[in-house]
Amino acid sequence: MTGTGRPARRLSNEQVIVLQDPDDAAFAPFGEFVKPPAVSERRAFYSAHFDPRPETAAPVVHVNRVAPSVLPLVCAGVERHPHAAQCFVPMDVSRYVVMVMPSDENGDPVPAAAQGFLVPGNRGVIFRPMVWHMGACVLDRDGNFVVMMWRGGPGADDEFRSIPPVTLMEPGA
């Protein structure tokens, strides 16, 4: 997964999203932000996102290295995984951008309802199955994520779509 990283050149009809801080309630329809437990000696569990296991699927864990992008940037493509949740846990990331959007009644992405988040490098993200999202996009410097998901289920689990350009802006820009 790779973010576009291309500097924004705004067109008059282009959608602009001002990135917001991670907001658990706003993000809940799309997944969950992964964060450390609030109390020492405790655990925060996120395993429920990976149930039920797709038939014949196997767990996949890999590390992505992502080149940095610069805000504002333009996103013209999204992806989703119909059969499995996808989890990104930063290993060495300054901050990164998450953009998600719902599907319409035909399953197509709805860019007009997109939301964008500016996420610090000490939080991960889990995308629910079927959630359209932008590819991994780090800021400031190269970044590394541990990525976890199921692979090899009953059908292809990577869908990619082009969307009308969406410009993502830093708050206060």
Side-chain angles (χ1 to χ4, degrees):
M1 296 177 39
T2 306
T4 63
R6 123 177 119 92
R9 275 187 256 170
R10 298 213 4 233
L11 305 172
S12 61
N13 60 347
E14 193 170 288
Q15 181 180 351
V16 175
I17 294 175
V18 176
L19 298 170
Q20 58 184 304
D21 290 335
D23 180 312
D24 294 336
F27 194 71
F30 307 103
E32 189 171 1
F33 290 111
V34 177
K35 53 192 172 212
V39 178
S40 295
E41 307 289 326
R42 298 289 180 200
R43 295 179 182 162
F45 285 92
Y46 297 93
S47 305
H49 289 282
F50 297 98
D51 283 332
R53 174 183 179 167
E55 186 178 322
T56 71
V60 173
V61 178
H62 65 273
V63 176
N64 279 5
R65 184 170 187 90
V66 182
S69 296
V70 177
L71 292 174
L73 66 88
V74 174
C75 178
V78 291
E79 65 184 84
R80 74 176 177 180
H81 310 283
H83 306 291
Q86 187 178 44
C87 179
F88 285 79
V89 178
M91 287 182 67
D92 182 18
V93 174
S94 172
R95 47 188 194 140
Y96 63 105
V97 176
V98 169
M99 184 183 72
V100 291
M101 62 189 64
S103 301
D104 66 14
E105 61 278 351
N106 298 318
D108 295 319
V110 181
Q115 294 187 57
F117 301 89
L118 186 56
V119 184
N122 64 353
R123 287 193 189 180
V125 64
I126 300 173
F127 298 109
R128 295 186 194 288
M130 299 297 287
V131 169
W132 291 106
H133 61 90
M134 180 176 73
C137 181
V138 300
L139 303 174
D140 308 321
R141 58 181 169 79
D142 282 6
N144 298 291
F145 292 93
V146 173
V147 182
M148 297 170 279
M149 65 186 299
W150 295 112
R151 282 275 188 221
D157 203 35
D158 293 315
E159 291 184 24
F160 299 91
R161 296 284 175 85
S162 295
I163 58 170
V166 175
T167 299
L168 300 163
M169 309 270 303
E170 192 152 5

